[in-house]
């Protein structure tokens, strides 16, 4: 992709008023095209440096840059579909989106996408140059809309798909918020007692003399060693975080971690329903947009977020290449319930695969919602009991020596 340069311009708007400003583009031709799209007649265009001193944007190498979330993509695709449906040219719609986007990263990326379209690239090819922002499912749905002449419909499908994904993530977040908050409160309470309360009791025990009970000795030993245990735990947490980010997407780690998640006693069934809902929704969206089956399968397997589904989809691709059905290889995979494979088989036979996939995803979205509500009601008393056992155990350990003294008296 051509380097992006900064140009200062002077021009007249539609009312005849002289306006000045700066734009980033690959060349003067792109600047002229962009200004005309904005309704500005250029007078002078001059290349300038990106800025120095107070004119230069503050950048810390992307450390604090705001990431582009699924919600940002959902809003962007919905707005773009609306503007294209209203008859706005693609370049004008991209200009408006880039100017009004609240996410600086998305705004700059849309600016580059628009420049690519101005230079003659297709919209989907310009999006594909930014794989970290626009995932393969987004790019392929746009490409299908461009080729078939129904870009508005494809963008609307993308918006609906991502809006469902946002709802799903919100549901999961609501289920995990309470236990995470309680766990953090319990850890802070434990650390506070070990650092500030146990030393006070330790001095009291030393004055009283005698041998302390085993639970009390363990608690006192932990308190005495917190000088090095605390920093060690912090270092291990930081190292573990970096290791997790570096290895969580590797096939070797995923082949062990993701199947293990499905076997968890409380959350395993929830993770399974989430993976099936995401797979069927993405697959149905791509089939409905006219993406070829094999191409759609190669994309939706990786977007399901589950190793077992991804491996199952690979066997489905082999089956489709040989002219066989989609449902048959899925029926041999234990992660897919019989209802799912039977509905997919009916959809294939009746020519209504998209409709069946949409019904499956809607069913599992509602299942995720009900499972989350049930887990929330179950987790609340469990977390309260957990908090009571931890803090209550520490209090009992601290008071055991005092009880022994009273018994001796």
């Amino acid at each position: 992709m051509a380097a992006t340069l900064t140009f200062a311009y002077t021009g007249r708007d539609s009312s005849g008023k002289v306006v000045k400003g700066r734009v980033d583009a690959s060349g003067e031709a792109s600047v002229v095209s962009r200004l005309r799209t904005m309704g500005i007649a250029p007078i002078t265009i001059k290349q300038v440096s990106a800025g120095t001193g107070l004119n230069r944007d503050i950048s810390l190498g992307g450390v604090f840059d705001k990431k582009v979330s699924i919600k940002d993509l959902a809003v962007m695709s919905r707005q773009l579909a609306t503007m294209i449906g209203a008859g706005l040219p693609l370049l004008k719609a991209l200009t408006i989106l880039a100017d009004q986007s609240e996410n600086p990263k998305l705004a700059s990326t849309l600016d580059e996408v628009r420049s690519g379209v101005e230079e003659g690239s297709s919209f989907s090819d310009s999006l594909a140059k930014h794989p970290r922002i626009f995932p393969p499912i987004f790019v392929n749905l746009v490409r299908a809309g461009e080729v078939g002449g129904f870009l508005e419909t494809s963008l609307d499908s993308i918006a609906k798909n991502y809006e469902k994904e946002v709802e799903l993530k919100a549901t999961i977040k609501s289920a995990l918020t309470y236990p995470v908050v309680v766990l953090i409160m319990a850890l802070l309470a434990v650390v506070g007692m070990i650092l500030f309360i146990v030393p006070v009791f330790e001095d009291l025990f030393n004055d009283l003399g005698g041998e302390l009970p085993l639970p009390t000795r363990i608690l006192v030993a932990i308190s005495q060693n917190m000088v090095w245990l605390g920093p060690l735990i912090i270092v291990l947490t930081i190292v573990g975080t970096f290791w997790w980010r570096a290895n969580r997407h590797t096939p070797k780690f995923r082949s062990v971690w993701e199947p293990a998640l499905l076997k968890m006693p409380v959350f395993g069934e929830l993770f399974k329903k989430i993976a099936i809902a995401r797979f069927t929704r993405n697959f149905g969206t791509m089939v409905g947009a006219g993406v070829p089956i094999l191409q759609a399968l190669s994309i939706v397997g990786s977007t399901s977020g589950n190793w077992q589904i991804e491996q199952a989809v690979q066997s489905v691709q082999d089956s489709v290449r040989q002219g066989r059905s989609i449902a048959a290889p899925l029926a041999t995979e234990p992660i897919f319930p019989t209802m799912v494979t039977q509905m997919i088989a009916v959809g294939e036979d009746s020519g209504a695969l998209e409709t069946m996939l949409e019904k499956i995803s809607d069913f599992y979205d509602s299942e995720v919602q009900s499972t989350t509500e049930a887990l929330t009601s179950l987790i609340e008393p469990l977390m309260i009991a957990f908090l009571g056992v931890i803090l209550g155990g520490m209090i009992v350990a601290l008071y055991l020596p005092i009880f022994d003294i009273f018994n001796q008296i």
Side-chain angles (χ1 to χ4, degrees):
M1 186 172 63
T4 302
L5 306 174
T6 302
F7 294 87
Y9 68 85
T10 303
R12 292 186 183 275
D13 60 16
S14 57
S15 62
K17 182 180 178 182
V18 176
V19 293
K20 297 180 180 180
R22 294 190 177 198
V23 295
D24 294 329
S26 58
E28 289 190 13
S30 297
V31 176
V32 172
S33 177
R34 179 177 174 185
L35 291 177
R36 287 175 177 171
T37 303
M38 297 166 62
I40 298 175
I43 300 175
T44 61
I45 298 175
K46 182 180 179 181
Q47 182 181 343
V48 295
S49 61
T52 56
L54 295 177
N55 292 325
R56 184 181 296 275
D57 291 335
I58 298 175
S59 176
L60 297 177
V63 176
F64 297 103
D65 288 349
K66 185 179 179 181
K67 294 183 179 180
V68 179
S69 65
I70 293 178
K71 185 176 181 179
D72 293 326
L73 293 179
V75 173
M76 186 214 82
S77 52
R78 174 64 66 195
Q79 292 175 338
L80 187 57
T82 302
M83 286 188 283
I84 290 178
L88 267 70
L90 178 60
L91 286 175
K92 180 67 174 178
L94 289 173
T95 301
I96 294 172
L97 284 176
D99 291 339
Q100 72 177 18
S101 176
E102 297 180 358
N103 188 311
K105 181 66 175 176
L106 181 59
S108 62
T109 304
L110 288 172
D111 204 25
E112 294 178 20
V113 169
R114 185 197 54 242
S115 298
V117 175
E118 286 176 340
E119 294 167 3
S121 298
S122 67
F123 184 31
S124 57
D125 288 341
S126 299
L127 292 173
K129 295 175 182 177
H130 307 277
R132 292 188 176 182
I133 305 298
F134 303 105
I137 186 172
F138 193 108
V139 175
N140 281 276
L141 286 172
V142 169
R143 182 172 289 120
E146 284 182 312
V147 174
F150 48 87
L151 181 58
E152 177 193 354
T153 304
S154 291
L155 289 169
D156 186 64
S157 298
I158 294 171
K160 290 180 180 178
N161 189 62
Y162 281 125
E163 285 164 359
K164 288 277 189 179
E165 190 71 17
V166 170
E167 292 177 7
L168 183 62
K169 286 184 175 291
T171 301
I172 299 170
K173 186 176 180 180
S174 66
L176 297 177
T177 298
Y178 181 81
V180 169
V181 170
V182 172
L183 182 61
I184 292 174
M185 291 177 60
L187 291 175
L188 291 176
V190 168
V191 171
M193 290 185 67
I194 290 175
L195 290 177
F196 303 107
I197 298 178
V198 173
V200 176
F201 278 83
E202 182 184 356
D203 295 337
L204 175 63
F205 298 152
N206 291 333
D207 294 338
L208 294 175
E211 185 178 358
L212 298 175
L214 179 61
T216 309
R217 294 201 303 269
I218 294 174
L219 198 58
V220 170
I222 293 175
S223 177
Q224 292 173 342
N225 290 281
M226 277 300 289
V227 176
W228 63 270
L229 275 177
L232 178 62
I233 293 173
I234 294 174
V235 170
L236 290 177
T237 302
I238 295 173
V239 171
T241 301
F242 279 103
W243 182 90
W244 168 262
R245 290 181 177 178
N247 292 276
R248 62 176 176 171
H249 296 304
T250 59
K252 185 176 181 181
F253 179 76
R254 290 183 61 211
S255 63
V256 176
W257 172 250
E258 291 177 4
L261 285 178
L262 301 182
K263 297 177 181 178
M264 291 179 62
V266 177
F267 290 97
E269 192 65 25
L270 176 63
F271 292 143
K272 179 179 178 180
K273 292 176 180 178
I274 290 169
I276 294 175
R278 183 176 290 137
F279 165 73
T280 52
R281 182 172 57 252
N282 291 340
F283 192 22
T285 301
M286 299 199 77
V287 170
V291 178
I293 292 291
L294 284 174
Q295 186 177 354
L297 287 170
S298 66
I299 295 170
V300 298
S302 59
T303 58
S304 66
N306 184 272
W307 173 261
Q308 288 178 282
I309 289 183
E310 191 172 333
Q311 297 305 303
V313 169
Q314 290 181 5
S315 64
V316 174
Q317 288 179 274
D318 297 335
S319 174
V320 173
R321 288 191 187 98
Q322 297 170 10
R324 296 198 295 268
S325 68
I326 298 173
L330 290 181
T332 63
E333 300 292 337
I335 191 172
F336 289 102
T338 304
M339 184 202 76
V340 174
T341 56
Q342 290 295 326
M343 289 185 70
I344 291 176
V346 171
E348 285 185 288
D349 294 338
S350 62
L353 181 59
E354 175 195 358
T355 303
M356 286 299 180
L357 289 170
E358 184 179 350
K359 290 183 180 295
I360 295 171
S361 65
D362 289 341
F363 172 78
Y364 275 98
D365 281 337
S366 62
E367 281 289 295
V368 169
Q369 183 71 36
S370 59
T371 303
T372 301
E373 293 173 357
L375 285 176
T376 302
S377 61
L378 174 65
I379 288 173
E380 288 183 5
L382 290 178
M383 293 304 296
I384 293 174
F386 169 77
L387 187 60
V389 168
I390 295 296
L391 297 180
M394 293 182 66
I395 293 173
V396 170
L398 289 175
Y399 279 93
L400 277 176
I402 299 177
F403 295 153
D404 291 342
I405 293 173
F406 282 128
N407 289 334
Q408 293 176 4
I409 293 175

